[in-house]
Amino acid sequence: LLAGGCLERTIEITSEPPGALVYPNDVELGRTPVSTAFTFHGSYDVRLRLDGYEPIDTSRVAEAPVQEWPGIDLIAEAMPVTFSNTIEWHFELEPALEFGEDPGSFRTGLLSRARELRYRTSPVVAKPVEGRPLGEAQSDGADADGRAGAPTTLP
């Protein structure tokens, strides 16, 4: 009874496909699948990079289990038992968009991705008019949703 307990904390990070470099809180950890011990629960910024795939920049939370809540953790430490807390994070990487060798093709593809990102993150959802790219002036004086009196171009 005099020997106190032990708390083991581990974060296991996997990805599909495997082999992505992982950077939790801007510290290179290694390639997936990878696991590491951690000290603190809370929010972590996580970046994954793999050639040929879109990078991932996100955050994940390592939540404390009940035996590590304040007050209860004192009792858990005093018990002659080892508590193990394994947190699993899995990421799905998407293939990177490939553009042709022509620099103009790369620029066109890049602009297309930028417009798509603006469309997905815009607080005002605008629908593209068939045959016209987003942001092009509408000839009928309506906005992209068809509402009259609205601006004729996207911000």
Side-chain angles (χ1 to χ4, degrees):
L1 289 174
L2 296 177
C6 182
L7 297 173
E8 296 177 356
R9 300 179 186 114
T10 307
I11 295 177
E12 294 180 355
I13 303 172
T14 59
S15 69
E16 184 57 41
L21 273 172
V22 179
Y23 301 87
N25 290 343
D26 294 324
V27 176
E28 185 176 326
L29 181 59
R31 295 193 177 271
T32 59
V34 65
S35 64
T36 184
F38 71 100
T39 305
F40 302 103
H41 293 93
S43 181
Y44 288 82
D45 293 326
V46 182
R47 291 186 299 136
L48 280 88
R49 303 286 185 265
L50 182 62
D51 287 341
Y53 291 86
E54 293 293 323
I56 294 178
D57 290 312
T58 187
S59 63
R60 293 287 170 99
V61 175
E63 294 186 13
V66 174
Q67 70 266 17
E68 294 192 42
W69 289 358
I72 298 174
D73 63 339
L74 294 174
I75 298 168
E77 281 285 335
M79 296 175 64
V81 177
T82 298
F83 289 99
S84 179
N85 178 19
T86 301
I87 296 171
E88 298 175 356
W89 294 336
H90 181 75
F91 299 92
E92 296 284 333
L93 295 161
E94 296 184 17
L97 297 177
E98 294 187 22
F99 306 117
E101 296 294 322
D102 175 33
S105 172
F106 179 79
R107 185 174 186 273
T108 303
L110 189 60
L111 288 173
S112 173
R113 289 177 60 196
R115 285 188 192 106
E116 180 185 345
L117 180 62
R118 180 172 53 178
Y119 173 72
R120 286 189 296 156
T121 58
S122 173
V124 176
V125 178
K127 297 177 186 172
V129 176
E130 188 174 321
R132 290 189 203 124
L134 284 174
E136 188 173 296
Q138 309 293 320
S139 62
D140 59 2
D143 70 354
D145 290 329
R147 294 181 295 216
T152 58
T153 59
L154 293 176

